[in-house]
């Protein structure tokens, strides 16, 4: 099968790639652009480990075909920190102890980022709804919710 050329933006940089029509955004980020902060868990839209922001909305990158990305803007966990400084959401996760194994953390942070972009002071219920698609096997969620609430402040 022939490769397809796609031009889009990742973390505010223009990228041009040639990839196969079956390749997902997750696969392109990790395998072709070296952005391995975005994790692959289930690979079928159930765990949220692969969450990135696509045109302003949190999406499961394992469910997005790269061929549909022409002209799109993608933001990954690597794109929210500035130089070597963590984003306030990341700082809050560290401060509140909302990380254990860390596998879910990039996806959680990106879901929180999308929420706080549109809602500066979310309620606990709104936070729970925003991370409903992100599974965490370690923390029990309480500290994650507290960290997002703290980051909103
Ligand atoms: Fe995408 Fe689980 S890897 S939702
Ligand atoms: Fe381990 Fe969430 S910290 S899965």
């Amino acid at each position: 099968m022939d490769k397809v050329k796609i031009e889009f933006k990742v973390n505010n940089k223009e990228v041009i790639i040639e990839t196969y029509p079956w390749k997902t955004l997750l696969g392109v980020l990790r395998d072709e652009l070296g952005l391995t902060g975005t994790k692959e868990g289930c690979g079928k839209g159930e765990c949220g480990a692969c969450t990135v922001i696509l045109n302003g909305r949190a999406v499961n990158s394992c469910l997005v075909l790269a061929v549909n990305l022409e002209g799109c803007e993608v933001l990954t966990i690597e794109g929210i920190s500035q130089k070597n400084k963590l984003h306030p959401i990341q700082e809050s996760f560290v401060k509140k102890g909302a990380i254990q194994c860390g596998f879910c953390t990039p996806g959680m942070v990106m879901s929180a980022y999308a929420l706080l972009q549109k809602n500066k002071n979310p309620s606990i219920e709104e936070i729970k709804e925003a991370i409903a698609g992100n599974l965490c096997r370690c923390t029990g969620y309480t500290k994650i919710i507290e960290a997002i609430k703290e980051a909103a402040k």
Side-chain angles (χ1 to χ4, degrees), residues 14-45:
E14 293 283 352
V15 294
I16 302 174
I17 56 161
E18 287 195 10
T19 194
Y20 294 103
W22 44 264
K23 194 92 181 178
T24 64
L25 169 56
L26 175 62
V28 164
L29 290 173
R30 290 183 58 86
D31 305 338
E32 298 182 28
L33 299 176
L35 295 170
T36 54
T38 304
K39 302 300 179 216
E40 177 164 14
C42 65
K44 50 186 181 183

Side-chain angles (χ1 to χ4, degrees), residues 26 39-51 60-63:
L26 175 62
K39 302 300 179 216
E40 177 164 14
C42 65
K44 50 186 181 183
E46 288 172 6
C47 73
C50 65
T51 305
N60 291 326
S61 59
C62 68
L63 296 183

